[in-house]
Amino acid sequence: MNRGIATFTLDYGKCPPWLFERMVKLGREMVRALVAEYGPDEFIKRISEPVWFQSLGTVLAFDWNASGLTTILTAALKEAIKGEEQELGIFICGGKGKTSQQDSYQIYHHAFFFSRNGAWSVVQQGMNTANQTARRYHWFSENINDIVCEPHAGIVTQTLENQVLDLSAKASGSTRTLSVELIEGGYNQIMKDIKILRKHSSELSRMVAMQTANGQLSLLELANTEFHSHPVEIEDFSKSKYLEKILARLADKKPESYENLLATEGVGPKTVRALALVGEVIYGARPSYEDPARYSFAHGGKDATPYPVDRPTYDKTIETMKRVVAKARINKTEKSRTLEKLEKHQLAF
């Protein structure tokens, strides 16, 4: 499965009706042209490419660096193909999700693009209110290998975070495995470990797990430079009764894999961060803290960046795209008729 991520500043403005109307019109012609030339599956694949998606949004004149590009572009495309889904062979569903990522970007936008042939792409967007940015996540159905390990095909961002708990990284494999094992050990055992962390919560930033030769674990104090502060420290982890409730539910269900663990109702960022913290501090399974993140102007931008939208040029582009699509349809029809004639000619012999 290929996936990508893009990060942008939060945008609290609204798309003016005159711009959205043009986005729908130009978007409709571009979708028609792409599907006619490459087919519906290729369109779905391109939607999963964060840079291509971003470029499409800027071609349609939305702000290149605003979070609104994701939601408005999705809405414009959805409106653009309305009534033509069967003919184009592509479908778009949209909504708000209740899931979240582990890099402090809470998901608030979730759109699902799929073709008649079964290809699909998911476009999600999360918000980080602390630094006023949004990050976009792309999923693609092709070449599904491991949904929880190294899933990203491309990540685009304006700002790299200093510390991101990336539990999808290959380097976090031991953390994922240990998280499942901790749950398998039962509620009492996991709570015993958590109580140890609560007792020493003020010293977590300079403690690391050490395992002695006889298998006993001890907590060793080190300089701050030797231990990376865990993101869970910023949460009220030590007093969370809800976390205990979720851990009890997990212990009851005993998920067989990390994927199943994540799919358990109620499991969110606090739960997986808590399990990662226990795994790192108590058992020495250190996850990756590197941000996995790795981006076009055509008609101006809604907020006049880099210049106001050139409406006459925009309308001219729409008309040009209409002619291109009409020509492509005529050529396709003529080609089909030629093939039919050839087949009839061959049958005559």
Side-chain angles (χ1 to χ4, degrees), residues 211-343:
Q211 189 161 0
T212 61
N214 61 5
Q216 295 297 315
L217 291 171
S218 63
L219 293 173
L220 178 68
E221 291 191 9
L222 299 173
N224 289 341
T225 55
E226 300 293 330
F227 185 78
H228 292 277
S229 178
H230 198 289
V232 81
E233 291 180 65
I234 64 174
E235 299 180 17
D236 191 11
F237 166 69
S238 63
K239 299 177 181 179
S240 178
K241 293 296 181 184
Y242 181 73
L243 175 61
E244 294 183 23
K245 180 181 177 181
I246 297 302
L247 289 174
R249 181 182 299 173
L250 280 172
D252 248 6
K253 290 182 175 292
K254 288 187 168 39
E256 297 178 354
S257 66
Y258 194 72
E259 185 176 342
N260 291 337
L261 186 153
L262 295 177
T264 303
E265 183 181 358
V267 172
K270 188 182 291 290
T271 305
V272 293
R273 286 175 179 172
L275 290 171
L277 178 62
V278 171
E280 180 177 3
V281 178
I282 304 296
Y283 299 98
R286 187 180 185 278
S288 170
Y289 287 104
E290 295 183 17
D291 193 332
R294 304 296 184 253
Y295 132 121
S296 46
F297 299 114
H299 297 107
K302 173 178 68 68
D303 292 338
T305 304
Y307 51 82
V309 175
D310 182 347
R311 301 190 194 189
T313 301
Y314 201 134
D315 292 339
K316 185 178 179 180
T317 303
I318 293 173
E319 293 306 314
T320 300
M321 288 301 300
K322 283 182 177 179
R323 289 196 297 270
V324 170
V325 172
K327 185 178 179 180
R329 285 177 171 174
I330 291 171
N331 291 338
K332 188 176 181 180
T333 301
E334 290 178 348
K335 184 178 179 181
S336 297
R337 288 173 179 171
T338 301
L339 288 173
E340 287 177 6
K341 289 180 181 178
L342 285 173
E343 289 175 357

Side-chain angles (χ1 to χ4, degrees), residues 72-88:
I72 298 300
L73 176 57
T74 300
L77 291 176
K78 189 174 180 181
E79 183 67 23
I81 70 168
K82 184 180 292 184
E84 298 185 22
E85 293 90 343
Q86 293 295 335
E87 180 184 348
L88 293 169

